[in-house]
Amino acid sequence: MGLESAARELYGLLPGQFVAARTATARAAAQNGDKELARQVKALPKPPAAAWLVDMLAVHRRDEVDEVIRLGRAISEAQEQLDLEQLRQLGGQRRRLRAAVAEAGRGLAAELGQPVSAAALAEVEQTLHAAMADPDAAAAVVSGLLTGPLSSNGIDPVELEGKVAVPGAAGAPPAPGSRKRQVVHELARRRA
C-alpha cells in the first residue's frame, strides 16, 4: 500500500472513523517495515466538515461535480472571448449550480448520517466557486483528497498549499511550487 491508496481509503471514511483508521494504517505500515509511509500517513490531517463533504461529492456525486467544472471552463472561455452576454447567462447559472450542488451535498451528508452546518455548506459553495475559477482547484476537488476548503477571488490562483492530502496523486493538482503552477500564476498576474 502506498500513500495515495492509504489517503484515498482514509478520505473516503466518515469523519468519526478517520483518526482510528489513520492510526491503524500507520501502525500497519510501520509493522511492515515502511517507517516513511507510517510517518506520511500519521501526518495526513483529518478534513474539516466542508472538505470532507466536497470529497464525498467527488466520490458519490461525481456527475454534479463534473458539471461544476464544465461550467467553470465555459465561464473562462466566455471571459477570454469577452462575451458579455454569455458571461451574464453563465453567471446566473454559476450561482444556481453552486447552491444546487451544495444542497445535494447536504442530502448526501444526511444519507451518510453526518448532518453538516450552514457554515460548512457555505464553505462547500466557496470551494465549488474556487473549482470553477482555477483548473488546479478543480483538480483538487475532483481528486477527493481535500484536507481543507478552498476559496477564490476569481483573479489569483487558488492557494492549494496543504489543501490536498497527496499533491500530484492521480487527479490531484501538482504540488505547489511546481513549474505548471508557477506558469498559471504568472499568466493570472499578467491578466490582472
Side-chain angles (χ1 to χ4, degrees):
M1 173 183 290
L3 180 60
E4 181 179 349
S5 62
R8 290 203 182 281
E9 283 184 28
L10 292 171
Y11 287 87
L13 297 173
L14 297 176
Q17 300 170 327
F18 186 89
V19 173
R22 180 182 59 193
T23 300
T25 302
R27 185 176 300 125
Q31 288 172 347
N32 287 332
D34 195 339
K35 304 280 188 213
E36 180 60 20
L37 177 59
R39 184 192 64 72
Q40 291 172 327
V41 168
K42 282 182 191 176
L44 291 172
K46 178 181 175 183
W52 170 80
L53 186 50
V54 173
D55 289 342
M56 293 299 96
L57 284 165
V59 172
H60 299 286
R61 301 286 193 277
R62 181 60 180 264
D63 290 344
E64 293 175 43
V65 171
D66 287 344
E67 190 176 344
V68 167
I69 305 305
R70 280 192 298 275
L71 182 58
R73 281 192 217 118
I75 291 169
S76 292
E77 289 170 13
Q79 287 171 334
E80 288 172 12
Q81 296 169 1
L82 300 174
D83 186 338
L84 297 180
E85 181 57 32
Q86 183 73 0
L87 281 170
R88 191 172 12 264
Q89 291 173 2
L90 294 174
Q93 288 178 18
R94 174 178 50 200
R95 287 183 292 281
R96 288 188 300 275
L97 182 59
R98 277 193 337 238
V101 174
E103 191 56 37
R106 179 196 307 266
L108 175 60
E111 287 173 28
L112 296 171
Q114 300 292 312
V116 292
S117 69
L121 286 176
E123 288 182 330
V124 167
E125 279 198 56
Q126 185 67 18
T127 299
L128 295 173
H129 173 76
M132 288 180 175
D134 181 312
D136 284 342
V141 165
V142 169
S143 76
L145 296 172
L146 284 182
T147 61
L150 306 177
S151 64
S152 172
N153 64 11
I155 298 170
D156 296 321
V158 173
E159 179 56 54
L160 295 173
E161 183 84 33
K163 299 290 186 167
V164 181
V166 185
S178 72
R179 178 69 186 137
K180 177 184 173 191
R181 190 98 177 119
Q182 292 168 357
V183 168
V184 168
H185 181 69
E186 180 61 23
L187 289 173
R189 188 186 64 73
R190 287 182 189 171
R191 278 191 225 154

